[in-house]
Amino acid sequence: MKVITKISELREEIKQWKREGKTIGLVPTMGFLHEGHASLLKKCREENDIAITSNFVNPTQFGPNEDLEAYPRDFKKDCDLCESIGIDVVFHPVPEEMYTDAHAYVSIDTLSDTLCGKSRPIHFKGVCTVVTKLFNIVTPDRAYFGEKDAQQLAIIKKMVKDLNFDIEIIGCPIVREEDGLAKSSRNTYLNPEERKAALCLSRSINRGKEVISIGSKVENVLKEMINVIEKEPLAKIDYVSIVGLEDMQPVETVEKDVLVAMAVYIGKTRLIDNFIYKVVQ
Ligand code: PAF
């Protein structure tokens, strides 16, 4: 496994692999890898001749008061995991390799306006920009993203379609702890009491799954889900919403495939979770 920090060096390797007719898979990450990432890396390993992952805490997707500095990092452990899965390249640039001043940006307005985009206004612009850069650097055949970041996945799919990237985007299911908490690098911020409180997210998701059906009034489903979270004193809701799966816009009644998504603060830690409800199961 190679660790590459320079764009030019990675491009040289990729040119050679392309000449040999090899397929390339990419898993973009911000590091501090958990089993959710491992599932993406394994799928990428299985489906491509060459498996590449990027490990880069992308500054442009963090707002001014967010956790860029505190974001957990353990590059050595990440490399051990990648090595054990058989990843060929870990791309690990420093911010200066990726960004210059007065940088160009890529953004998608409507899909970014709801859910996480409301409380994190610059977030998806940063995500689209770095993912575009990674796509242009790596030119993968396939790229893998977790369904936990469902809005991110929808936005990337739309961006790939709109900007004509010839890349297949593959979403992979949420991986959960045994007690139901969705795996996230940010779970590491939780103290033991908060860790217990954080279960209100998956409990609320389960309640949503129980009560939702075709024709459900969104208001009623949300009320049931919010009730579960409000029983937990350490929890503060950022949003619990139901939106169309493709356009990310709120719906009033469940008539098409929807994303049921939430962001909840447990203490200072903002956690997200979701499920997709398909009208034809
Ligand atoms: O999902 C993430 O970890 C990040 O948003 C991504 C896609 C790696 C872009 O920085």
Side-chain angles (χ1 to χ4, degrees):
M1 187 181 82
K2 276 195 172 165
V3 174
I4 296 182
T5 57
K6 295 282 175 236
I7 295 169
S8 55
E9 193 190 332
L10 181 54
R11 282 201 156 134
E12 280 310 309
E13 295 280 351
I14 285 165
K15 253 189 226 158
Q16 182 55 34
W17 285 319
K18 296 244 161 171
R19 273 198 290 267
E20 293 166 8
K22 295 197 162 142
T23 58
I24 296 177
L26 171 68
V27 182
T29 83
M30 297 208 299
F32 209 71
L33 306 178
H34 50 69
E35 284 163 50
H37 296 111
S39 75
L40 307 179
L41 292 164
K42 283 180 192 156
K43 200 163 163 59
C44 176
R45 175 62 291 165
E46 278 162 27
E47 295 181 350
N48 303 278
D49 297 325
I50 301 295
I52 300 181
T53 184
S54 59
N55 190 302
F56 177 62
V57 181
N58 172 38
T60 62
Q61 69 189 73
F62 289 81
N65 298 316
E66 293 183 356
D67 57 345
L68 172 62
E69 297 307 325
Y71 197 81
R73 291 160 169 91
D74 192 341
F75 188 61
K76 166 84 181 63
K77 195 159 161 249
D78 291 349
C79 284
D80 291 347
L81 177 74
C82 291
E83 182 104 60
S84 74
I85 292 173
I87 297 300
D88 297 293
V89 173
V90 178
F91 178 50
H92 184 54
V94 293
E96 296 72 29
E97 179 72 6
M98 293 295 274
Y99 291 106
T100 53
D101 290 345
H103 201 276
Y105 281 91
V106 181
S107 62
I108 293 185
D109 292 341
T110 46
L111 273 76
S112 305
D113 289 347
T114 56
L115 310 178
C116 290
K118 251 192 191 164
S119 47
R120 306 186 72 191
I122 64 152
H123 176 66
F124 290 116
K125 188 172 153 189
V127 170
C128 287
T129 302
V130 81
V131 170
T132 296
K133 289 169 72 68
L134 291 167
F135 284 176
N136 283 331
I137 295 165
V138 177
T139 59
D141 298 279
R142 302 183 187 86
Y144 299 80
F145 295 87
E147 287 175 356
K148 184 168 76 70
D149 295 294
Q151 187 176 18
Q152 168 173 284
L153 179 58
I155 287 173
I156 289 168
K157 281 185 177 161
K158 178 83 163 74
M159 178 183 88
V160 161
K161 188 164 164 252
D162 288 358
L163 301 184
N164 311 100
F165 283 105
D166 191 11
I167 299 172
E168 187 187 348
I169 301 300
I170 297 160
C172 300
I174 297 178
V175 178
R176 295 180 181 278
E177 302 286 352
E178 256 175 42
D179 61 6
L181 180 66
K183 300 247 182 196
S184 162
S185 305
R186 289 190 168 97
N187 291 350
T188 190
Y189 296 146
L190 302 169
N191 68 31
E193 198 190 348
E194 291 170 340
R195 173 64 184 75
K196 262 191 222 152
L199 288 179
C200 70
L201 280 91
S202 52
R203 266 192 227 117
S204 169
I205 289 287
N206 291 339
R207 184 67 191 140
K209 285 181 184 169
E210 277 166 15
V211 296
I212 198 167
S213 62
I214 302 174
S216 291
K217 278 219 164 328
V218 160
E219 198 189 328
N220 297 340
V221 178
L222 293 182
K223 205 195 263 170
E224 292 286 334
M225 293 179 69
I226 288 168
N227 268 344
V228 175
I229 302 170
E230 284 183 343
K231 285 199 183 107
E232 177 46 66
L234 292 182
K236 192 170 149 280
I237 293 174
D238 179 3
Y239 68 82
V240 184
S241 302
I242 301 186
V243 296
L245 189 54
E246 281 187 17
D247 61 9
M248 299 286 117
Q249 297 308 305
V251 293
E252 285 187 4
T253 314
V254 178
E255 280 156 357
K256 56 178 182 179
D257 295 351
V258 289
L259 171 70
V260 183
M262 62 175 65
V264 178
Y265 285 93
I266 303 294
K268 286 193 174 134
T269 306
R270 185 175 177 279
L271 299 176
I272 56 173
D273 204 342
N274 71 73
F275 70 95
I276 289 166
Y277 179 78
K278 294 216 161 155
V279 164
V280 180
Q281 295 287 335

